[in-house]
Amino acid sequence: IMIIKANQRGKGYGKELLQAILNAKKGTIGLNCAQNNPQLLQFYASFNFKTVGSLVIGGHRYNHMQVEV
């Protein structure tokens, strides 16, 4: 789980953390992103994550997204 506090968003911390993960890993990286969060879906898409499925957890809908690195 990667969470950036609201008052720290927009400072590049999420990009730095995600880029470090992508740089450290080889293969397929997957994550789940709430479908009702278009800003976050766009953020992951900017790193070439693609939606490959969807799921419901606790009544909340998520896109399962993956990228190959």
Side-chain angles (χ1 to χ4, degrees), residues 5-24:
K5 288 184 174 186
N7 66 342
Q8 297 299 312
R9 292 181 189 148
K11 297 181 179 180
Y13 299 133
K15 284 182 181 181
E16 274 189 58
L17 287 168
L18 186 54
Q19 193 61 60
I21 292 167
L22 296 173
N23 290 343

Side-chain angles (χ1 to χ4, degrees), residues 3 9 14 18 20-21 28-29 31 37 42 49 54 60 64 67:
I3 299 172
R9 292 181 189 148
L18 186 54
I21 292 167
T28 302
I29 297 177
L31 55 84
N37 192 338
Q42 184 177 354
F49 280 84
S54 61
H60 300 281
H64 181 67
V67 67

Side-chain angles (χ1 to χ4, degrees), residues 47 62 68:
F47 284 87
Y62 296 87
E68 194 72 31

Side-chain angles (χ1 to χ4, degrees), residues 13-57:
Y13 299 133
K15 284 182 181 181
E16 274 189 58
L17 287 168
L18 186 54
Q19 193 61 60
I21 292 167
L22 296 173
N23 290 343
K25 175 89 167 81
K26 299 293 180 219
T28 302
I29 297 177
L31 55 84
N32 298 320
C33 182
Q35 289 180 349
N36 66 351
N37 192 338
Q39 185 176 1
L40 190 55
L41 289 166
Q42 184 177 354
F43 171 77
Y44 290 127
S46 74
F47 284 87
N48 297 316
F49 280 84
K50 307 286 185 222
T51 297
V52 296
S54 61
L55 63 152
V56 178
I57 302 172

